[in-house]
Amino acid sequence: MQEVNQNLAEEAGLNITHICLPAESGEDEIIDEILKINEDTRVHGLALQIAETSFSNKILNALKPEKDVDGLTDVNLGKLVRGDAHECFISPVARAVIELLEKSGVSLDGKKILVIGAHGSLEATLQCLFQRKGSMTMSSQWKTPQLQGKLQEADIVVLGSPKPEEIPLSWIQPGTTVFNCSHDFLSGKAACISPGVHGISPIAKDVSLLAAALRIQNMVSSGRRWLREQQHRRWRLHCLKLQPLSPVPSDIEISRAQTPKAVEILAKEIGLLADEIEIYGKNKAKVHLSLLERLKDQADGKYILVAGITPTPLGEGKSTVTIGLVQALTAHLNVNSFACLRQPSQGPTFGVKGGAAGGGYAQVIPMEEFNLHLTGDIHAITAANNLLAAAIDARILHENTQTDKALYNRLVPSVNGVREFSKIQLARLKKLGINKTDPSALTEEEMRKFARLDIDPSTITWQRVVDTNDRFLRKITIGQANTEKGCSRQAQFDIAVASEIMAVLALTDSLSDMKERLGRMVVASDKNGQPVTADDLGVTGALTVLMKDAIKPNLMQTLEGTPVFVHAGPFANIAHGNSSVLADKIALKLVGEGGFVVTEAGFGADIGMEKFFNIKCRASGLVPSVVVLVATVRALKMHGGGPSVTAGVPLKKEYTEENLQLVADGCCNLEKQIQIAQLFGVPVVVALNVFKTDTRAEIDLVCELAKRAGAFNAVPCYHWSIGGKGSVDLAWAVREAASKESRFQFLYDVQLPIVEKIRTIAQCVYGAKDIELSPEAQSKIDRYTEQGFGNLPICMAKTHLSLSHQPDKKGVPKGFILPISDVRASIGAGFIYPLVGTMSTMPGLPTRPCFYDIDLDTDTEQVKGLF
């Protein structure tokens, strides 16, 4: 039978492998082997050739139904019985019996069929198939007392197992058609009925040859099905219904009132394969990057960016608009759409701002899982960042306290009598121009060059990080213990999401690219002014290991059951403020041509959007179709001269009562942000995020002034109070704008000098008269230019509360000089970032942080107080 299978497989163009287990293998050993094959994507069919005594339900149902080419599993049998034969595999043996009968011209309608000695799936399948043909089917075992009478009544007899010698052939009536379905695969002996005995006229003594061919046919069908699954296919998304309440409950109450779909169901609905996701609990999954290769020929959907006007400290709802828009597109217009959001830092979650899952009836759910830990990506970044920080100071200590020879011997030790360089050490030798692979072959000078990085402590730019707002870590002294032998220095902690590793994660496009970016991160300069990298420290491989899971985007869902990717979370004021390139690219393939991917840029358009275009789009090569610019009446009143807005303090009456003059005066900021978007050649749709205190006159005024300022359209949105239904008008406006041809362009040429690129952003985007460089900033620019980093894009670290560097300057400040206090380089991420004014990379806690309201119900384990 193995030879038959092999020959048939070769004829069909299949590769077939025989796995021979020891004869004494038990149930657990067989199941272990089956489970391995289930997960092997190269295998599309699995046939069990084991003794019938081993065919336990546990073994049979260990098979993946889609690989069960013998139709043994309960799933395949159930589909057959239900009448869904086109969706399942049917026993090749049972099919062979039916086909041979039909080809012989025997009519099965009204015939009496006796199936003897068959068990389990074969017995059930034969009965089902014969009944479908109109036959009257009986089933019996060889030891049944009334067997002789049943045999004499039967027109057709099907033997499911070898006939015992004590059962005489004379019991079978002359002219009866007899089929032998039994075959002992382990012994290779087939039971048979001799032709002509007592007038018996068997059509086939053994159906195993035809069954083998039909099994191969099932394998071919399985392979074809797998190929179809590899192609992009129409979504079969079941959206969740909303029942909005008035007044609108708290965000966490709304989130908890909705029951999310199991994430594996969501993944299947949007075309993800089972082996492309890693499930974290019930509601989250990571998506493998292999999907990009599978769908590489699939056309991308439309790429939509959500940005905003200069916000109040309360935020104006960009995340909420993003979620409301995709809920409208998919749940109400039946258009494939994906939201791509940043993962929130726990600093703001427990500080002032709260979470970032959206709000009201436009949220990512479960919101507590979204805002707390998620799948641990930020923790992985923290671990990787701090490993590199530890490596820097440890290397300085060891170089300061050891001779060249001792240092070299410890860096390249003899292990079990063998002394060799590691892979990353060989890369360092190559960088130094030392073309040797034998550690003992280096000269004293070569050993010194290899072993000593000679880091200048005053040039270290790599800081430790923690994902907590902790103002007392803004300046610290490290190395004060006696064991550090005087290697103390001033340092600081940054918030974790300010780490360059976060920016690398957000801008990378593959695992290999991430490894290269991590390796070229510059952490300091040596005493000759040359950059020292993570590669030089030998830590790149370890960093990649810590980040290998974090690179996979996280799949979640909105309140209406539409898909969301949550991945990477760099701040927009001190980093580039956008979710990952990988999440966007995967989402664009999944939505397909005609679909929409909606992603958000942090803070105002002058910050997050400018960096999205000049940094993220350069890295990804993706071209945006539309900018959705989020505005609120509240923020416009602030820019029009309204009282200051402070988190945690009730709004003044100017913000809760109609005031058309304040709104009209504040629209200057909206007009400026529209103009900024137009610098890049992308159409703008203004989304007015409506609050319950906004009046119809204020709403109409904003929409009118936005259109006059050059917006393609301006639409009021009500998703916060009623979900996607409240953003249907916005969805239609975005679809119409996206149908226009994009004229996207970058703001500047990266080949310009660093100073000119900074000046271009300051003047064209912020409206500054000019820039002013501090001596330190000028010195850093000179150093980075000399080191060959002058052709990188610019990532301005600036306050988000004003177009200028002064947070209290609202509206559209003019005539100001933008001060550049310092300039740093994120070489791995691929940008230079100037610090504008006094920018802190570690937020602090306010007098009354959010954590006062956050608690856990210890009986139900439900989180309370998040928003």
Side-chain angles (χ1 to χ4, degrees), residues 431 456 459 461 520-533 754 779-792 823-827 832:
K431 177 181 176 180
D456 180 353
T459 66
T461 55
R520 64 175 183 255
M521 292 188 304
V522 174
V523 300
S525 295
D526 65 20
K527 291 171 183 175
N528 294 319
Q530 295 304 305
V532 177
T533 67
I754 292 174
S779 173
K780 294 276 189 71
I781 289 172
D782 293 342
R783 182 198 304 166
Y784 295 142
T785 302
E786 185 181 337
Q787 291 176 342
F789 305 137
N791 61 346
L792 295 175
V823 177
R824 299 177 187 173
S826 292
I827 305 305
I832 302 291

Side-chain angles (χ1 to χ4, degrees), residues 708-760:
R708 282 191 209 168
F712 179 86
N713 205 339
V715 182
C717 303
Y718 304 90
H719 43 263
W720 182 82
S721 57
I722 58 174
K725 183 179 178 183
S727 280
V728 168
D729 288 345
L730 175 63
W732 280 115
V734 167
R735 290 185 72 181
E736 186 180 358
S739 67
K740 308 300 180 185
E741 186 178 352
S742 175
R743 297 178 180 177
F744 175 69
Q745 61 184 9
F746 295 117
L747 181 65
Y748 54 79
D749 185 339
V750 289
Q751 300 304 322
L752 287 172
I754 292 174
V755 172
E756 289 308 309
K757 287 181 283 193
I758 296 172
R759 181 174 285 114
T760 298

Side-chain angles (χ1 to χ4, degrees), residues 116 293 302 358 431 629 678 706 721 745 814:
I116 311 176
E293 176 62 23
K302 297 289 187 180
K431 177 181 176 180
L629 191 64
Q678 290 173 335
S721 57
Q745 61 184 9
K814 294 179 180 174

Side-chain angles (χ1 to χ4, degrees), residues 527-553:
K527 291 171 183 175
N528 294 319
Q530 295 304 305
V532 177
T533 67
D535 265 351
D536 293 326
L537 285 158
V539 74
T540 305
L543 299 182
T544 309
V545 168
L546 286 170
M547 293 294 294
K548 72 180 179 66
D549 292 319
I551 196 174
K552 302 165 192 169

